[in-house]
Amino acid sequence: MDLLIPSTGLLFWMSLTFLVVLFILWKFGFPVITNMVKERKAFIDDSLRKAHEANERLANIQKEGESILQEAREKQAQILKEAAETRDAIVEKAQVKAREEGARLLNDAKAEIEQEKKAAIADIRKQVAALSVEIAEKVLRQNLQSDKAQMELIDRMLDDVNK
């Protein structure tokens, strides 16, 4: 039965040892354990707060990135529009210049053709006049081969001059 019911002396020393250990733990052990738990809790709370802040910053960075990307797309569209307008203006300018150059070349060609036409007409008139003189000379030589025909022609001319 001694196993089930301890003696009073043993119970006293066990209680005293228990109280001493409890006092030592209460004085030195529990505060350290409590501080470690508090520090761990503070560290976890701080880590959670930092993680939350990091998530917020990441969300802000993503929003900024999206706005920058949108702005870049808008600038790209504006640059492409300006490039198209510049291209159209250059093409239009080149077409106008080509039309003007074509009109100038056409006018120059017309003037040159007109000049050559006048020169050809003048040359033809000279040739016709020369041919006419030659033909008249040959006709007159044939008609005036005799002295009598020459005298008749002279008389007619003198009569025409006198009239």
Side-chain angles (χ1 to χ4, degrees):
M1 248 209 185
D2 280 341
L3 288 176
L4 293 178
I5 299 177
S7 68
T8 347
L10 181 63
L11 190 58
F12 171 75
W13 287 114
M14 281 176 60
S15 296
L16 184 66
T17 307
F18 177 75
L19 289 176
V20 169
V21 170
L22 182 66
F23 175 74
I24 291 173
L25 282 177
W26 190 271
K27 188 73 174 167
F28 301 106
F30 290 145
V32 172
I33 293 171
T34 307
N35 284 338
M36 285 176 40
V37 169
K38 285 180 184 177
E39 287 175 8
R40 181 69 179 160
K41 182 181 181 287
F43 177 75
I44 290 171
D45 289 343
D46 188 47
S47 295
L48 287 174
R49 184 183 50 79
K50 287 180 181 177
H52 183 66
E53 289 174 2
N55 282 340
E56 287 178 359
R57 275 192 256 153
L58 180 61
N60 288 339
I61 290 172
Q62 285 177 341
K63 287 179 183 177
E64 288 177 18
E66 289 173 5
S67 67
I68 290 171
L69 186 60
Q70 181 62 30
E71 185 178 326
R73 285 182 185 139
E74 290 172 1
K75 283 185 180 181
Q76 178 188 17
Q78 182 181 5
I79 289 171
L80 288 175
K81 181 181 175 187
E82 289 173 1
E85 289 172 356
T86 303
R87 180 200 65 212
D88 292 343
I90 290 171
V91 167
E92 182 65 29
K93 190 175 182 181
Q95 287 175 344
V96 167
K97 190 173 182 180
R99 281 190 217 113
E100 289 173 356
E101 184 67 18
R104 186 188 63 79
L105 290 174
L106 186 62
N107 288 337
D108 289 350
K110 284 180 181 180
E112 188 177 331
I113 290 170
E114 187 65 31
Q115 198 174 27
E116 288 180 13
K117 180 180 167 186
K118 288 179 181 179
I121 289 173
D123 188 40
I124 290 172
R125 284 185 180 162
K126 286 180 186 177
Q127 289 178 3
V128 167
L131 284 175
S132 297
V133 169
E134 284 181 34
I135 291 171
E137 185 180 323
K138 287 183 181 178
V139 168
L140 284 177
R141 277 194 189 152
Q142 252 181 356
N143 287 340
L144 300 177
Q145 284 182 354
S146 67
D147 288 335
K148 182 180 175 187
Q150 286 179 6
M151 289 307 282
E152 285 178 8
L153 181 62
I154 291 173
D155 285 338
R156 267 190 280 149
M157 288 183 150
L158 285 175
D159 288 339
D160 287 340
V161 170
N162 288 334
K163 290 184 186 178

